[in-house]
Amino acid sequence: DCFSLPAAGPAPSPVSLSGYRMEYLVPTDLARPLLLSLRVAGIATALSFLAALFVAWRLARRRGPLPALLDALCTLPLVLPPTVLGYYLILIVGRNGLLGPALRDLGLQLIFSWQGAVVAATVVVFPLLYKSARAALEQVDPHLENAARTLGASELRILLTVSLPLAWKGIFAGLMLAFARGMGEFGATLMVAGNIPGKTQTLALAIYDAFQAGNDALAELVTRPNAAAVVERAFSKLPPLTEITDVEVMIRWTYLSAFSQGLANPPEA
């Protein structure tokens, strides 16, 4: 059991970090899943960003049967159940899958490894980045891009100097959404990488294990930061503090205080 107490023995010396003791920053049961989730989400977001930006760039403003089919394929992971998506990934990268022999020759083992969790998270977050990047690129004024073409600029230079500077806000929003989705990925990761404590157990899987083991205190400790992020997201849609009245400020912070004590749900945005 990954939540049982460690064997008796000399405790490691604490690591100091800016005046704090590292042993008090993150509970032992959460440190490894948290760090693994950050690693998986970060790598998956970076890989998806490159692929999604390229595909969105090539399909933006394209019309016809083939672009529509490619758009549907790129969006497919967004609508498939996570376990079904994980099963398809096993059929592709598993030992006996489509790419299994080739990966084995390269010495790569994706099943039941943290690299497999990266592959699963990459496929899951790709549609979020792709749709955000494509929508942002399609909002760029085409007259500006055509003006750059008349001056002899290549398509790649137009993307880097015209389109991206004008579409960066939408792309950045997609990045944040993809990273948050990667942090919470569960179903496909469980199918491909499994739930091996200390090796492939991410934060979402640790919450599941804690709940199944009846460790409600640990599950609540893990989910509280996620709940705080939901509240922050809901309140971020409200006007800035400098643009609202004192009464609205009081209402906002009253709800925040009540929710932190478990007494209220965040108000609808």
Side-chain angles (χ1 to χ4, degrees):
D1 193 337
C2 63
F3 299 106
S4 59
L5 293 176
S13 58
V15 180
S16 297
L17 179 64
S18 301
Y20 293 92
R21 292 163 67 93
M22 198 61 158
E23 61 185 8
Y24 296 133
L25 294 180
V26 180
T28 305
D29 291 334
L30 302 182
R32 286 187 177 181
L34 176 60
L35 293 177
L36 181 60
S37 295
L38 290 172
R39 179 196 297 180
V40 169
I43 298 177
T45 302
L47 295 177
S48 298
F49 171 73
L50 297 176
L53 183 61
F54 176 78
V55 176
W57 173 48
R58 301 308 299 174
L59 293 182
R61 301 195 184 94
R62 298 291 179 90
R63 298 294 181 267
L66 182 58
L69 177 61
L70 293 177
D71 180 76
L73 291 177
C74 292
T75 314
L76 194 60
L78 192 63
V79 297
L80 281 177
T83 51
V84 174
L85 183 60
Y87 175 72
Y88 287 153
L89 288 176
I90 293 176
L91 295 181
I92 296 175
V93 301
R95 290 184 177 182
N96 299 321
L98 182 63
L99 302 179
L103 294 174
R104 187 166 55 251
D105 293 339
L106 295 175
L108 296 178
Q109 174 62 32
L110 298 181
I111 303 300
F112 299 121
S113 66
W114 73 268
Q115 291 89 347
V118 171
V119 172
T122 300
V123 175
V124 169
V125 306
F126 173 84
L128 301 175
L129 266 169
Y130 162 71
K131 299 299 287 186
S132 299
R134 181 172 181 177
L137 291 174
E138 288 180 343
Q139 292 299 316
V140 176
D141 189 351
H143 294 90
L144 299 177
E145 297 175 338
N146 292 332
R149 292 187 182 95
T150 61
L151 297 175
S154 63
E155 293 298 323
L156 180 59
R157 185 175 182 182
I158 293 174
L159 173 68
L160 297 178
T161 61
V162 178
S163 302
L164 285 183
L166 295 175
W168 73 269
K169 291 184 178 180
I171 297 175
F172 182 76
L175 275 172
M176 295 298 100
L177 185 62
F179 181 80
R181 180 65 181 86
M183 284 289 294
E185 167 52 29
F186 178 83
T189 300
L190 182 62
M191 293 288 292
V192 176
N195 184 15
I196 305 175
K199 185 178 180 181
T200 65
Q201 187 181 69
T202 60
L203 201 58
L205 295 174
I207 296 173
Y208 176 77
D209 260 7
F211 176 75
Q212 290 293 317
N215 195 341
D216 295 338
L218 181 61
E220 182 181 357
L221 180 63
V222 178
T223 56
R224 187 173 292 274
N226 298 332
V230 171
V231 176
E232 188 277 331
R233 178 63 179 170
F235 277 85
S236 66
K237 298 180 180 180
L238 296 178
L241 289 175
T242 55
E243 299 179 5
I244 60 179
T245 64
D246 294 339
V247 175
E248 290 170 324
V249 171
M250 184 179 299
I251 294 175
R252 175 186 293 195
W253 290 111
T254 299
Y255 268 103
L256 279 175
S257 177
F259 181 76
S260 66
Q261 300 298 325
L263 301 177
N265 292 321
E268 295 293 334

